């Protein structure tokens, strides 16, 4: 490059691969370093400048300024110009109003006052380290950005990803002052997308500064971290990713973990924390960071979804999902819940069904849904399935429909289970906590052991009988019904058992026709008077097994004491558990 002039150039300056044919006097009058270099050059009149900050473009800006030419500065070139001017020592000691002074004025009066320009300038500083750091440009940009994030959102007009308010004055003129009431308020997290374009090192410094000011809500911090993760972490990750990229992802995840807001009750959502944990496992984040994530997740597990829990297992595990990790999280979550309940009990002197109880019920519902997903895994051991199910307290699982679905899927996908193993799996379910629809399905489910089917049928009959009894009691005086509760429940259980015996006897009488036709006698047979059909249509094999059990129970009926009312399951002591013979035990099992 050269300067058009009537005077012949008398010096050549090489910056990188570009040659600048210039004149000594303008350069020496503005730059102290060029003055020294040209003085030492002698008659050669050629200077080589190696590692010039900003390269030939930044030197060109400085050279134009030396010649008194117009120099246009903006957010994209101001840092390179400032670093170049510093290198060339273009200070006030050389000439008043020199380039360094003018750039500093521009930075402080324009750049650092602008939200958008501060972010752009900060992005350009990385390629000019350590010059930009030593000149405090990086620190000034970070402080400018962090200060603006805590400004009242109502006065925000400078975000370049949130510009809804910029055209408001014109619309107010067009539509009248009533339009002001229609304007959506600027959200508190208006700034999170803008800074997500920063490199992870600069982003970390900005977020640390934002947090240090203590004026930012933990939820907004969490939203900012989530936005950055979505921007830079891939949707999927496999072994084909290069080692360099894996290291970058690992550093990114570790940085996001260390930036998590301290407020454990708010801040990041459980869904985001679980996704962060999933990625942390894939990229091999250190154990301490993973442990911290597990701790944070356990405090908010009740907010998660089943999809969030589906974290792929890593070798040497051979299951589809990391069940052991979820078991660990659940155990910690329940431990926190227990501590909260104990504290509440100590403070109030009595346990009240409150937030902690509802939280644990949500965890129970979540894990039942998770069991239905992992039940399809052919490599899932029965111990893992059972242990995870048993980790949920009884009170946290008031309805067993979803658990029954998980058990049914597990039995269907694991056909090699022994009779004892099926019994163990089905023992997780309480038939008294099944809804009518689930009971109807279970009564016809050939995968369930016979003892479980009989228990379902028996309890459905008792529930139907208790429903009829409740309708009869509704017409009675309230005081009588409350004083005779024990006797009514006892009578209800007895009536239910008698009704079941009648059904079994009816099966016995019609056995010959059943064997002859291979189905129940009449298609238009009436539903029992209690309004519930005890035995839905079943396969011939299941029906035969139930009929044999019923016949054995009827034959042994004469040996029972008159005050006893046992369930059909009591006829097989080795196979099932009796519901109990005392009135109190019957009330407990029925309820």
């Amino acid at each position: 490059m050269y300067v058009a002039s009537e005077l012949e150039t008398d010096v050549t300056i090489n910056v990188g691969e570009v040659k600048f044919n210039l004149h000594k006097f303008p350069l020496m009058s503005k730059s102290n370093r060029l003055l020294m270099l040209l003085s030492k050059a002698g008659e050669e009149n050629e200077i080589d400048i190696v590692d010039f900050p900003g390269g030939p473009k930044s030197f060109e800006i400085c050279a134009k300024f030396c010649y008194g030419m117009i120099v246009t500065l903006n957010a994209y070139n101001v840092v390179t110009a400032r670093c170049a001017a510093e290198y060339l020592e273009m200070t006030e000691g050389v000439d008043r109003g020199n380039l360094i002074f003018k750039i500093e004025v521009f930075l402080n009066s324009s750049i650092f006052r602008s939200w958008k320009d501060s972010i752009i300038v900060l992005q350009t500083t990385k390629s000019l380290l350590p010059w930009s750091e030593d000149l405090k440009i990086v620190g000034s940009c970070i402080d400018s950005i962090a200060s603006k994030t805590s400004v009242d959102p109502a006065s925000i007009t400078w975000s370049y990803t949130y510009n809804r308010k910029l055209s408001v004055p014109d619309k107010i003129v067009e539509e009248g002052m009533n339009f002001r009431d229609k304007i959506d308020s600027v959200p508190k997290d208006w700034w999170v997308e803008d800074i997500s374009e920063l490199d992870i090192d600069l982003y970390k410094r900005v977020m640390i500064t934002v947090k240090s000011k203590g004026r930012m809500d933990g939820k907004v911090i969490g939203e900012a971290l989530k936005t950055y993760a979505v921007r830079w972490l891939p949707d999927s990750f496999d072994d084909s990713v290069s080692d360099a990229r894996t290291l970058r992802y690992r550093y990114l995840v570790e940085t996001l973990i260390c930036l998590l807001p301290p407020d454990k009750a708010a801040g990041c959502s459980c869904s985001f924390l679980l996704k962060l944990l999933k990625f942390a496992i894939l990229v091999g984040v250190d154990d301490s960071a993973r442990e911290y994530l597990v701790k944070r997740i356990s405090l908010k597990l009740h907010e998660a979804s089943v999809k969030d829990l589906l974290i792929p297992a890593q070798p040497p595990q051979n299951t589809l999902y990391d069940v052991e990790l979820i078991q660990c999280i659940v155990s910690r979550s329940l431990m926190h819940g227990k501590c909260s309940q104990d504290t509440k009990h100590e403070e109030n002197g009595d346990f009240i069904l409150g937030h902690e109880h509802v939280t644990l019920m949500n965890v129970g519902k979540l894990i039942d849904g998770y069991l239905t997903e992992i039940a399809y895994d052919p490599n899932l051991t029965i111990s893992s399935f059972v242990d995870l199910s048993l980790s949920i307290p009884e009170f946290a699982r008031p309805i067993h429909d979803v658990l029954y679905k998980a058990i049914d899927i597990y039995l269907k996908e694991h056909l090699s289970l022994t009779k004892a193993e099926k019994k163990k799996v089905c023992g997780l379910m309480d038939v008294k906590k099944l809804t009518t629809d689930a009971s109807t399905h279970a009564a016809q489910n050939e995968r369930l052991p016979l003892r479980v089917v009989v228990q379902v049928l028996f309890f459905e009959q008792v529930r139907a009988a208790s429903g009829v009894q409740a309708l009869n009691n509704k017409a009675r005086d309230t005081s009588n019904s409350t004083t005779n509760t024990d006797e009514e429940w006892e009578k209800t259980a007895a009536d239910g058992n008698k009704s079941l015996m009648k059904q079994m006897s009816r099966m016995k009488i019609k056995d010959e026709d059943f064997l002859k036709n291979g189905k129940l006698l009449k298609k238009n047979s009436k539903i029992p008077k209690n309004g519930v059909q005890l035995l839905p249509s079943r396969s011939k094999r299941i029906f035969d097994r139930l009929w044999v059990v019923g016949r054995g129970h009827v034959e042994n009926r004469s040996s029972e004491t008159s005050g006893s009312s046992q369930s059909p399951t009591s006829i097989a002591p080795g196979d099932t558990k009796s519901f109990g013979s005392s009135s109190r035990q019957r009330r407990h099992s029925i309820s």
Side-chain angles (χ1 to χ4, degrees):
M1 297 182 64
Y2 65 92
V3 177
S5 173
E6 295 179 357
L7 298 175
E8 184 179 357
T9 60
D10 54 7
V11 64
T12 300
I13 300 177
N14 301 317
V15 180
E17 297 179 355
V18 179
K19 288 187 177 184
F20 291 87
N21 298 311
L22 305 171
H23 301 85
K24 290 182 179 181
F25 178 75
L27 300 178
M28 296 171 66
S29 65
K30 297 290 185 181
S31 171
N32 188 51
R33 173 166 291 207
L34 288 178
L35 175 62
M36 291 187 297
L37 291 175
L38 292 173
S39 300
K40 296 178 181 180
E43 298 179 357
E44 295 180 1
N45 295 328
E46 187 170 351
I47 301 173
D48 293 325
I49 301 179
V50 182
D51 297 330
F52 188 82
K57 290 185 178 181
S58 62
F59 183 82
E60 182 181 351
I61 293 175
C62 295
K64 286 182 176 180
F65 182 81
C66 291
Y67 278 90
M69 301 172 67
I70 297 176
V71 176
T72 302
L73 295 177
N74 53 49
Y76 295 95
N77 66 8
V78 66
V79 178
T80 60
R82 177 66 181 86
C83 295
E86 186 70 21
Y87 181 89
L88 295 175
E89 300 176 10
M90 302 175 72
T91 63
E92 292 296 285
V94 178
D95 185 42
R96 187 174 181 179
N98 213 338
L99 185 57
I100 290 178
F101 172 77
K102 292 186 178 294
I103 292 178
E104 287 293 332
V105 171
F106 177 66
L107 286 171
N108 291 297
S109 63
S110 179
I111 296 296
F112 297 147
R113 292 187 178 186
S114 168
W115 167 258
K116 179 179 178 180
D117 289 343
S118 295
I119 295 177
I120 295 173
V121 168
L122 185 58
Q123 288 175 307
T124 64
T125 58
K126 186 177 180 180
S127 61
L128 293 163
L129 294 173
W131 287 92
S132 58
E133 189 72 64
D134 295 338
L135 295 174
K136 302 186 184 306
I137 298 176
V138 176
S140 298
C141 286
I142 290 174
D143 189 65
S144 171
I145 294 169
S147 298
K148 290 179 176 59
T149 60
S150 58
V151 172
D152 183 3
S155 61
I156 299 301
T157 59
W158 52 69
S159 171
Y160 63 94
T161 60
Y162 192 88
N163 296 314
R164 288 187 294 174
K165 298 192 69 177
L166 297 183
S167 59
V168 167
D170 295 335
K171 290 194 174 184
I172 291 178
V173 174
E174 294 175 4
E175 303 183 22
M177 294 302 294
N178 291 334
F179 177 78
R180 186 182 298 277
D181 299 332
K182 302 178 183 179
I183 302 173
D184 294 331
S185 60
V186 177
K188 292 182 179 180
D189 60 353
W190 60 268
W191 51 273
V192 300
E193 290 185 14
D194 293 348
I195 67 168
S196 65
E197 296 300 318
L198 295 173
D199 182 83
I200 184 60
D201 291 316
L202 294 174
Y203 180 83
K204 179 180 179 180
R205 293 179 61 178
V206 170
M207 292 302 299
I208 290 175
T209 307
V210 170
K211 292 170 65 177
S212 67
K213 293 183 179 297
R215 297 194 292 266
M216 191 59 62
D217 184 79
K219 291 183 178 180
V220 181
I221 296 292
E223 184 63 27
L225 299 179
K226 178 182 177 181
T227 302
Y228 194 85
V230 171
R231 171 67 178 82
W232 294 103
L233 291 177
D235 296 331
S236 60
F237 184 87
D238 52 44
D239 297 335
S240 61
V241 177
S242 64
D243 293 340
R245 181 164 293 187
T246 300
L247 290 174
R248 180 177 180 276
Y249 289 149
R250 183 184 304 165
Y251 176 70
L252 193 152
V253 172
E254 289 175 347
T255 302
L256 292 178
I257 293 173
C258 78
L259 291 174
L260 290 175
D263 187 2
K264 299 177 182 178
C268 300
S269 67
C270 189
S271 177
F272 170 65
L273 293 175
L274 281 164
K275 290 178 180 177
L276 205 58
L277 176 60
K278 183 187 299 185
F279 216 91
I281 294 172
L282 291 174
V283 298
V285 169
D286 63 87
D287 294 339
S288 60
R290 291 172 55 181
E291 178 68 16
Y292 180 69
L293 274 180
V294 169
K295 181 180 179 181
R296 294 291 296 268
I297 292 169
S298 65
L299 295 171
K300 310 182 73 171
L301 182 60
H302 59 284
E303 299 178 1
S305 67
V306 174
K307 184 179 179 181
D308 297 330
L309 299 183
L310 300 179
I311 300 177
Q314 300 297 308
Q317 300 181 72
N318 61 350
T319 54
L320 292 176
Y321 303 109
D322 196 337
V323 182
E324 294 180 4
L325 176 62
I326 302 303
Q327 175 75 66
C328 176
I329 295 174
V330 171
S331 299
R332 293 196 176 194
S333 178
L334 296 175
M335 187 182 302
H336 294 311
K338 184 178 184 302
C339 292
S340 299
Q341 289 180 358
D342 292 343
T343 302
K344 192 170 187 178
H345 179 80
E346 292 174 3
E347 293 176 351
N348 301 336
D350 190 18
F351 177 73
I352 300 175
L353 198 64
H355 174 71
E356 292 81 8
H357 191 94
V358 174
T359 296
L360 292 178
M361 291 180 66
N362 289 337
V363 173
K365 182 179 179 181
L366 173 69
I367 297 307
D368 281 353
Y370 180 72
L371 288 170
T372 62
E373 292 295 328
I374 64 175
Y376 289 100
D377 186 357
N379 294 324
L380 180 65
T381 63
I382 186 172
S383 60
S384 296
F385 185 85
V386 171
D387 290 345
L388 182 57
S389 177
L390 291 177
S391 64
I392 303 300
E394 184 177 353
F395 74 86
R397 189 183 274 142
I399 303 297
H400 279 208
D401 285 18
V402 182
L403 177 60
Y404 164 66
K405 179 181 179 181
I407 291 173
D408 185 40
I409 294 172
Y410 191 83
L411 294 177
K412 182 179 179 181
E413 298 297 328
H414 300 77
L415 300 177
S416 61
L417 294 179
T418 64
K419 183 178 180 181
E421 290 174 333
K422 289 183 178 180
K423 181 179 178 181
K424 184 177 182 180
V425 173
C426 293
L428 301 171
M429 174 181 60
D430 186 350
V431 298
K432 298 187 294 297
K433 294 184 178 181
L434 295 177
T435 63
T436 302
D437 291 340
S439 295
T440 301
H441 186 279
Q444 303 177 75
N445 193 340
E446 297 186 6
R447 287 184 287 272
L448 298 180
L450 177 61
R451 61 181 291 275
V452 177
V453 176
V454 173
Q455 287 176 346
V456 172
L457 293 172
F458 173 75
F459 180 72
E460 277 302 301
Q461 184 63 30
V462 172
R463 180 157 55 182
S466 65
V468 174
Q469 186 68 25
L471 291 175
N472 294 334
N473 291 341
K474 192 174 182 180
R476 299 179 183 177
D477 184 54
T478 305
S479 60
N480 292 335
S481 65
T482 56
T483 56
N484 297 329
T485 302
D486 290 351
E487 290 78 2
E488 290 169 1
W489 275 108
E490 183 175 355
K491 185 176 183 300
T492 298
D495 291 345
N497 200 18
K498 290 178 181 178
S499 179
L500 180 62
M501 294 308 102
K502 290 180 181 179
Q503 294 287 343
M504 294 298 185
S505 299
R506 193 176 294 116
M507 289 182 229
K508 180 179 179 182
I509 294 173
K510 298 180 180 181
D511 178 49
E512 294 182 0
D513 292 326
F514 174 79
L515 296 175
K516 182 176 180 180
N517 299 325
K519 60 182 179 179
L520 295 175
L521 263 180
K522 298 181 179 180
K523 293 182 179 180
N524 60 347
S525 59
K526 297 182 179 180
I527 297 175
K529 293 181 180 180
N530 55 27
V532 177
Q533 185 176 354
L534 180 63
L535 292 177
S537 178
R538 301 291 305 278
S539 65
K540 181 177 181 298
R541 178 173 60 82
I542 296 296
F543 181 86
D544 287 342
R545 293 164 67 186
L546 286 175
W547 183 83
V548 172
V549 172
R551 181 175 60 181
H553 189 94
V554 172
E555 290 175 353
N556 292 333
R557 181 69 174 172
S558 60
S559 63
E560 296 178 355
T561 60
S562 59
S564 174
S565 179
Q566 298 178 346
S567 71
T569 59
S570 63
I571 65 170
D575 237 7
T576 64
K577 293 181 180 180
S578 172
F579 283 96
S581 57
S582 68
S583 61
R584 184 172 301 276
Q585 288 173 324
R586 282 193 298 274
R587 288 199 307 276
H588 177 72
S589 62
I590 292 172
S591 62

